[in-house]
Amino acid sequence: MNDESLEHKRLVEAVLFASKEPLGEKKLSNYFQEGVDVKSLLKELQEEYAGKGVNLIRLGNAWAFRTAPDIAEHLSEHRENVKTLSRAAIETLAICAYHQPVTRAEIEEIRGVSLSKGTLDVLFEAGWIKPRGRRRTPGRPMTWGTTVSFLDQFGLEKIDDLPGIEELKSAGLLDARPAINAYSVRGEMELPFVHPEQDQDEDDLPEPLLEE
Amino acid sequence: MNDESLEHKRLVEAVLFASKEPLGEKKLSNYFQEGVDVKSLLKELQEEYAGKGVNLIRLGNAWAFRTAPDIAEHLSEHRENVKTLSRAAIETLAICAYHQPVTRAEIEEIRGVSLSKGTLDVLFEAGWIKPRGRRRTPGRPMTWGTTVSFLDQFGLEKIDDLPGIEELKSAGLLDARPAINAYSVRGEMELPFVHPEQDQDEDDLPEPLLEE
Amino acid sequence: MEKLIDLDQHEDDDLRPKKKSALIIDLEGFEGPLDILLELARDQKVDLIHLSIFHLADQYLNWVAEARRKNLELAADYLVMAAWLAYLKSRLLIPTQSTEEEPSAEEMAAALAFQLQRLEAMRTAGEQLMERSILGKNVFKRGEPESFGKMDDVSYDVTLYDLMKAYGDQMNKHVDQTLHIEATDLYSMDMAIERLRSFLGKIPEWTKLQSFLPKDLKNELHTRSAIASTFAAALEMARDGKVKIRQSETFGAIYIQSPDTELIS
């Protein structure tokens, strides 16, 4: 095989790879000068890929790369379920991360709406939040905090790596309006990161989870 | 090569070929029993594809199939609208890449001007930079660094492959040297008092204050 | 029609400040004094390593003078730089009178040259980065991805950015609501001074600043304010010679002692 037809084959390969849909021979021949035998390029490629994990297949008059059928079958056993989180869940997760340990009531207070039943469950099932002991206040409400899986999911090494209020502000994610300044100056909303004292207090009291 | 390892290679090939985004080695090894050397499978595949129209490229610890760069001119119709970045954003991205992990204040010092609101936000949203932990200096400022998507976007295997990084390093231009102090007022205003609870990781921690 | 267009353009020309080719007085497009300095340095047409900082200072001062003559409003940054360069120039002119506190003029000039080189390096790096094979422009992903499992049974389509954005939005919403300004619950400086005064003359040994905090601190914020106030109070009293303060290293623990007791012991 000469250099030229090697280059032609590379081009067909790249075009088919990048294409959003199977391509017909006619369309493919637009990439070449007249006289180039696209059909035989495709056939050669098809042979080359025959034993691979990816095959070049013909669908009617069009061509596309597809996962080899035996592997596709094997892979689909592991079919993954990509879930999207609801807005409420994302917000709740963010609040758990920033305000941990935080009670359900506190989350509701911050969001200004009551939490629907499933929200914390979803986050708990995803393995991102876990009970962090009970608050020593009347009713001894349960508190929530984030887990190691949470850090994994978001590529953080430790909870302390989350951007703080000032940083969210300077990254443009938080309005720098005066009112919020007043808050953060007081330190109220700022970096509610795990403080050793609180940790000890609450981890002392491992008690069963949700009982609601 | 025996049948088994050929099958393994086909599987890796299929999984990576099917995916749009780079996949990490750890994730890939989930497809196999323990003891399968995924890394060497990947290296073999990379060689196999080296001359083709589609290449297997390495991005840090992640891998992806991408069209060969030399074919670019023929693939112009696949071009997406690549976001054009402002000059400030490009410079900021370069600083994040070459000086990582780098704080906002350091970026400002290098550029000699304060960062406007959206700049880091744009880069964060694009998925090219991410928080890289806090600096153990007063105020514990957050640092930024680049992501796998950044490597992917600019066709880099690793950060050390950044253009000219070795020369810059040996010329001392990547050293963290303070700016001319007489002039930089900004630097001086940035020394907040050390907060005791932020000291957690330091050894001579004052005795706990709260005892309730 | 054509005439109209001509007229428009003509008017525009009159209104717009005319650009000078080499020494650009138009502030637009410049990002701070360092940026201007770099542009001016290019006028010298030498490698930045061989840059004459003295000459550069002159160029910059001329630039500022010109900008002011044109009544362009210069941000404070630019003026601070001008003042600093004027100072540097004078230091460079007068032969070294080295004082220990301040870096020499040569060191200051070298520091500025370094900053310019560093900025130039990053600017070039950014340009080179943009010239690389860019995904979606020169290099392409699989156009028609197939989806199989990634082995984890469930994965979630949510990024750190999404999380931060949600939190930011949430907090912004808060701001829209009524802001209640609560009465201060911080530990005031007056309280700290009063408390510290009660220990006057009773501190024979070096004692950690923290041990002077009141016992009834309510929460972390309260504690923080107590530390700040007590520290400030200690400084205040040290100034009046009522206590001595010691800190052996930067950010190390702070100790207090009564001054007279040391003489006795």
Side-chain angles (χ1 to χ4, degrees):
Chain A
M1 171 173 278
N2 60 27
D3 279 2
E4 196 180 38
S5 72
L6 185 68
E7 281 311 303
H8 288 161
K9 221 157 63 173
R10 293 182 74 221
L11 180 54
V12 172
E13 216 170 15
V15 169
L16 285 172
F17 175 85
S19 171
K20 288 194 163 54
E21 60 204 358
L23 292 178
E25 285 161 24
K26 214 168 143 192
K27 186 104 197 263
L28 281 168
S29 63
N30 288 340
Y31 286 92
F32 301 98
Q33 286 157 314
E34 239 170 279
V36 174
D37 185 356
V38 175
K39 201 168 203 128
S40 71
L41 286 175
L42 285 163
K43 290 237 165 92
E44 275 176 46
L45 272 177
Q46 188 171 35
E47 264 171 53
E48 259 176 51
Y49 277 86
K52 288 182 180 279
V54 176
N55 301 153
L56 182 58
I57 59 161
R58 192 181 169 152
L59 305 148
N61 264 332
W63 294 77
F65 280 114
R66 288 283 181 266
T67 307
D70 61 314
I71 294 183
E73 202 177 308
H74 176 67
L75 284 177
S76 42
E77 285 165 25
H78 303 293
R79 184 160 299 237
E80 150 188 76
N81 198 351
V82 180
K83 285 189 181 169
T84 336
L85 285 183
S86 70
R87 178 88 200 157
I90 296 178
E91 279 174 18
T92 304
L93 182 59
I95 292 166
C96 285
Y98 275 98
H99 296 260
Q100 60 188 305
V102 63
T103 66
R104 184 194 180 90
E106 286 159 357
I107 296 170
E108 292 180 334
E109 193 180 301
I110 293 171
R111 295 194 55 235
V113 290
S114 56
L115 266 182
S116 69
K117 205 143 184 24
T119 310
L120 282 171
D121 291 348
V122 166
L123 299 174
F124 183 58
E125 264 162 37
W128 293 336
I129 61 169
K130 63 171 186 204
R132 284 277 311 269
R134 296 181 176 279
R135 186 64 50 82
R136 287 185 172 182
T137 52
R140 313 214 337 117
M142 249 286 289
T143 64
W144 294 91
T146 54
T147 62
V148 174
S149 308
F150 168 83
L151 298 178
D152 283 349
Q153 167 80 26
F154 296 101
L156 296 165
E157 247 171 65
K158 44 194 188 312
I159 199 66
D160 199 23
D161 291 354
L162 280 174
I165 292 294
E166 280 309 317
E167 286 138 356
L168 288 180
K169 231 186 268 173
S170 56
L173 290 171
L174 201 60
D175 283 356
R177 282 180 263 177
I180 206 138
N181 272 333
Y183 265 115
S184 68
V185 164
R186 294 189 69 250
E188 288 282 76
M189 285 179 152
E190 195 193 331
L191 309 180
F193 297 128
V194 195
H195 304 305
E197 309 88 74
Q198 291 178 351
D199 249 350
Q200 285 153 13
D201 265 10
E202 292 182 350
D203 282 351
D204 276 348
L205 313 158
E207 263 179 59
L209 313 182
L210 294 161
E211 1 166 81
E212 292 199 34
Chain B
M1 170 171 277
N2 59 29
D3 279 2
E4 196 182 35
S5 72
L6 184 67
E7 280 313 300
H8 288 162
K9 212 158 70 176
R10 290 183 74 220
L11 182 59
V12 174
E13 193 177 28
V15 170
L16 281 169
F17 212 93
S19 171
K20 244 178 139 146
E21 302 309 323
L23 297 177
E25 283 166 17
K26 214 169 135 195
K27 203 137 211 177
L28 286 169
S29 64
N30 283 342
Y31 287 95
F32 301 100
Q33 287 156 314
E34 240 171 276
V36 174
D37 185 356
V38 176
K39 203 164 202 137
S40 70
L41 290 175
L42 286 162
K43 289 215 169 118
E44 278 175 41
L45 272 175
Q46 187 172 36
E47 264 172 52
E48 264 177 47
Y49 276 86
K52 289 180 177 280
V54 176
N55 302 151
L56 181 58
I57 59 165
R58 182 184 174 161
L59 308 153
N61 279 325
W63 297 75
F65 277 111
R66 297 285 180 252
T67 60
D70 64 305
I71 303 183
E73 51 176 322
H74 303 288
L75 297 177
S76 50
E77 68 177 84
H78 293 276
R79 282 200 187 177
E80 297 156 25
N81 280 329
V82 179
K83 215 184 235 171
T84 40
L85 292 176
S86 68
R87 203 180 80 179
I90 294 174
E91 266 175 40
T92 303
L93 182 60
I95 294 168
C96 286
Y98 284 77
H99 290 262
Q100 63 187 310
V102 64
T103 66
R104 182 194 176 85
E106 287 158 359
I107 297 170
E108 293 181 331
E109 190 178 294
I110 292 171
R111 298 193 59 237
V113 66
S114 49
L115 270 178
S116 66
K117 278 269 141 50
T119 311
L120 280 171
D121 185 29
V122 165
L123 301 174
F124 187 26
E125 187 173 9
W128 294 337
I129 62 169
K130 64 169 187 196
R132 279 276 312 269
R134 292 176 182 276
R135 186 65 52 79
R136 284 192 174 189
T137 53
R140 315 222 326 121
M142 216 186 65
T143 64
W144 295 91
T146 54
T147 61
V148 169
S149 299
F150 167 81
L151 297 176
D152 197 12
Q153 182 71 27
F154 297 102
L156 295 160
E157 189 174 304
K158 49 191 187 307
I159 282 304
D160 286 342
D161 295 344
L162 282 167
I165 192 165
E166 280 309 317
E167 291 85 329
L168 293 177
K169 234 184 245 172
S170 51
L173 287 172
L174 301 183
D175 293 356
R177 249 200 259 176
I180 31 179
N181 43 14
Y183 158 67
S184 101
V185 186
R186 197 175 289 118
E188 273 165 18
M189 299 194 326
E190 237 165 49
L191 286 177
F193 189 70
V194 198
H195 304 306
E197 70 278 2
Q198 292 182 335
D199 273 347
Q200 291 166 10
D201 39 17
E202 279 167 28
D203 295 327
D204 58 341
L205 195 63
E207 318 77 277
L209 299 166
L210 285 172
E211 318 162 320
E212 287 199 52
Chain C
M1 222 15 210
E2 257 172 40
K3 260 192 177 170
L4 259 176
I5 292 169
D6 271 345
L7 192 63
D8 279 353
Q9 282 177 345
H10 188 68
E11 275 182 1
D12 265 6
D13 280 347
D14 271 353
L15 291 173
R16 234 178 265 149
K18 286 206 178 84
K19 283 186 184 174
K20 249 189 164 184
S21 56
L23 224 164
I24 309 142
I25 297 298
D26 190 359
L27 267 176
E28 224 169 284
F30 277 108
E31 295 197 51
L34 220 48
D35 193 17
I36 300 264
L37 279 170
L38 199 53
E39 190 65 34
L40 292 172
R42 288 208 182 98
D43 279 3
Q44 286 192 24
K45 297 198 171 65
V46 291
D47 194 305
L48 281 186
I49 297 169
H50 304 113
L51 190 69
S52 158
I53 293 291
F54 187 85
H55 183 39
L56 183 66
D58 265 345
Q59 284 174 287
Y60 185 85
L61 293 172
N62 285 338
W63 179 85
V64 170
E66 183 74 358
R68 297 192 121 180
R69 203 178 57 76
K70 298 211 163 188
N71 285 325
L72 284 178
E73 244 178 75
L74 288 177
D77 280 5
Y78 292 87
L79 302 178
V80 172
M81 179 58 97
W84 187 82
L85 285 172
Y87 173 67
L88 175 60
K89 226 182 97 181
S90 70
R91 291 276 312 268
L92 285 166
L93 276 175
I94 304 162
T96 19
Q97 305 170 306
S98 72
T99 54
E100 273 147 38
E101 294 140 36
E102 248 192 328
S104 70
E106 285 70 27
E107 283 165 347
M108 286 160 69
L112 178 60
F114 172 75
Q115 261 187 295
L116 289 172
Q117 281 176 45
R118 187 170 61 176
L119 179 60
E120 168 97 342
M122 284 303 103
R123 194 156 285 175
T124 314
E127 284 159 11
Q128 285 174 341
L129 211 49
M130 294 302 139
E131 281 162 14
R132 291 188 58 86
S133 293
I134 291 180
L135 192 67
K137 196 174 142 211
N138 313 103
V139 167
F140 301 90
K141 300 180 186 187
R142 176 82 191 266
E144 207 184 356
E146 298 171 74
S147 77
F148 304 105
K150 287 185 196 156
M151 271 330 241
D152 310 326
D153 292 333
V154 180
S155 78
Y156 290 88
D157 182 20
V158 53
T159 65
L160 183 61
Y161 179 79
D162 295 336
L163 193 68
M164 302 295 96
K165 187 95 177 64
Y167 190 68
D169 290 351
Q170 194 56 224
M171 291 300 118
N172 284 336
K173 212 163 81 191
H174 248 261
V175 178
D176 290 337
Q177 293 165 2
T178 323
L179 174 70
H180 302 285
I181 298 174
E182 295 159 35
T184 179
D185 50 4
L186 304 182
Y187 191 74
S188 74
M189 173 108 168
D190 289 341
M191 292 158 91
I193 289 185
E194 197 182 321
R195 185 172 165 82
L196 210 51
R197 197 164 274 152
S198 70
F199 291 105
L200 272 191
K202 298 177 198 163
I203 322 171
E205 305 285 340
W206 284 109
T207 309
K208 268 193 180 175
L209 181 75
Q210 272 85 350
S211 17
F212 296 97
L213 302 187
K215 294 288 172 244
D216 55 347
L217 293 167
K218 276 173 283 185
N219 53 35
E220 175 217 313
L221 179 64
H222 197 202
T223 307
R224 214 143 104 190
S225 72
I227 293 171
S229 306
T230 306
F231 176 59
L235 287 179
E236 185 76 24
M237 292 170 70
R239 196 185 56 186
D240 299 343
K242 288 175 184 149
V243 295
K244 298 198 302 180
I245 298 186
R246 190 187 83 184
Q247 184 186 33
S248 44
E249 55 180 335
T250 318
F251 310 119
I254 295 168
Y255 294 89
I256 300 180
Q257 189 183 39
S258 301
D260 43 349
T261 48
E262 201 185 45
L263 295 176
I264 299 163
S265 59

